[in-house]
Amino acid sequence: MGAEPAPAGLLERAWINGERAQAVPVLERGLHYGDGLFETIACFDGKPRLLARHLARLQLGAGRLGLPLERAQIEAEVRSAAAGTRRAILKVLLTRGTALARGYGTTGRETPTRITLQYGWPADNGERSPAVRVRLGALRLGENPALAGLKHLNRLEQVLARREWSDPQIVDALLFSSSGRLVSGTMSNVFLVRDGTVLTPRLDRCGVAGVMRASVLALAAELGLPARETELTATDLCAAQEVFLTNALIGIAPVGELDGRTLAVGPLTSKLQHELTARFAAGEGP
Amino acid sequence: MGAEPAPAGLLERAWINGERAQAVPVLERGLHYGDGLFETIACFDGKPRLLARHLARLQLGAGRLGLPLERAQIEAEVRSAAAGTRRAILKVLLTRGTALARGYGTTGRETPTRITLQYGWPADNGERSPAVRVRLGALRLGENPALAGLKHLNRLEQVLARREWSDPQIVDALLFSSSGRLVSGTMSNVFLVRDGTVLTPRLDRCGVAGVMRASVLALAAELGLPARETELTATDLCAAQEVFLTNALIGIAPVGELDGRTLAVGPLTSKLQHELTARFAAGEGP
């Protein structure tokens, strides 16, 4: 989670459908409609972290969008791209491919496009994230159960929300839905701790169901910590004793400042972050 | 508005930033985030129809997204692409361009991409649209005032809604928002006539503010017909005596069948369609 975005030079390699390539056809439906999905995968010592969770989410999204998915092929391409890197970020896009007709309709004969991009690891992303500064976003996320949870390519809401601030010390903004529910950051999921219970917004109306979010929920269950998905509002956020963000690259990032309010890094956040780091160090993602 | 989508061969020419080209860089933010806008422009006898309205909407959208827009350049490229065609469809995409950093954030140094695509005119799109069959869509559109009205590249909702039916006799589906308001078709705006008044959904929460919709509202005002934007629901749709669709290609298409219910082509629809066709034939779009 870079405060300053990584320079463009950090794109190191790109493949399209398994071949080294740098361009996509102008009729690509990913471009015209955002008709596709993506995953952002952290790789350490040549290995993609939480790959099974990434592939499962991609498969779920492909099912919802009606995209054919050759999971074994994508897995092989991801493993191949990760191989030989020390630390890298892989971004995988799966789109419906080149349009075979004008307009939104599909013919059923489209061939999906697989794009794999390998980026260098941002200099400031260490093994264990320090406490971060977060703001509250003004933009409200639209609610659509048909798309909720998916990491799809319609990301204008996140682009606009990210344009609300330029202070490089602020790493993310927490966003609410059109009906006032807390959802997530622009590029992270959010957890609260209240009275010993770990809470994270239910994502049945909007938001991306992050792989690290799922890992943290699984880890909490393993550790016997009370944790659940629920509906949360701004009031819940104010009442939280601890707040942390998650994503595939940062793992757990404690929130040390929320919209100007200082927050201590609390015991449950520390415990989860410590245990998560230990699991990953041992090569066992929860 | 082809019942059967036009075959791929109907893409006749493509330009990127004014040069003939067929591919975009893999880091294009239009692909990664749908970070851009588009227009679909009908061209007759070498002239783009309602060009001023298309350019005004593009400019409005560019302002909302924070995209620099060289309007004169785009206008020149559209006119140049239209020149020499008898009937053609131009699709213009304006995106934020190649990503200069990983992630949603922008650097402010991105150079927008202009894509102009020239398609042949679908065989079944005549000068004046016949009555069409329409269904009700199940997918509900998310509500986001920040994006409402814009013809942006986040179109997964429309793609999914279009996947709900395959009957080629049905040309579009009417969609409601997450809060139950009537919004539009997947690729058209919708108008109702009730007791002599022309009504169309207000688009302050979702939907695309179509150029032909604006033309029809302007035409109604010119003709002294009562017409207004308002909040509409399924109940209003049921109570309507006339229903018609609009978009830049079809102009006005009377709805002859709505979800199995037969509708007569009513007097106000006929009058508006007749007047609109006459204005266009005289080279004066309302």
Side-chain angles (χ1 to χ4, degrees), chain B residues 54-65:
Chain B
H54 283 292
L55 293 171
R57 180 173 58 185
L58 198 59
Q59 191 155 29
L60 179 76
R64 297 257 292 275
L65 301 190

Side-chain angles (χ1 to χ4, degrees), chain A residues 5-8 11 14 16 21-36 38 40 64-66 89 91 93 95-96 99-102 104-107 115 117 119 122 139-144 146-147 151-160 162-163 178 186-187 249, chain B residues 5-8 11 14 16 21-36 38 40 64-66 89 91 93 95-96 99-102 104-107 115 117 119 122 139-144 146-147 151-160 162-163 178 186-187 249:
Chain A
L11 176 69
I16 300 177
Q22 295 287 338
V24 297
V26 76
L27 288 180
E28 168 58 57
R29 287 179 60 105
L31 169 65
H32 285 248
Y33 309 126
D35 192 3
F38 73 108
T40 304
R64 298 256 292 275
L65 301 189
I89 299 170
K91 182 170 180 178
L93 293 86
T95 77
R96 205 177 306 272
L100 300 181
R102 214 186 54 75
Y104 299 123
T106 53
T107 64
I115 301 172
L117 304 174
Y119 296 86
L139 179 135
R140 296 290 184 105
L141 298 167
E143 298 184 343
N144 191 331
L147 295 173
K151 205 168 171 81
H152 56 68
L153 295 175
N154 279 202
R155 292 291 153 209
L156 257 179
E157 290 183 322
Q158 284 69 34
V159 171
L160 290 185
R162 184 60 189 83
R163 288 174 62 79
S178 58
T186 67
M187 51 81 171
L249 305 184
Chain B
L11 176 69
I16 300 177
Q22 295 287 339
V24 297
V26 76
L27 288 180
E28 168 57 59
R29 288 179 60 104
L31 169 65
H32 285 249
Y33 310 125
D35 192 3
F38 72 107
T40 303
R64 297 257 292 275
L65 301 190
I89 299 169
K91 182 170 179 176
L93 294 86
T95 77
R96 204 178 306 272
L100 300 180
R102 214 186 53 75
Y104 299 122
T106 53
T107 64
I115 300 172
L117 304 175
Y119 296 85
L139 179 135
R140 298 290 184 106
L141 299 168
E143 299 183 343
N144 191 332
L147 295 173
K151 204 167 171 81
H152 56 68
L153 296 176
N154 278 202
R155 292 292 153 209
L156 256 180
E157 290 183 322
Q158 284 69 33
V159 171
L160 291 186
R162 184 60 190 82
R163 287 174 63 79
S178 59
T186 68
M187 50 79 168
L249 305 184

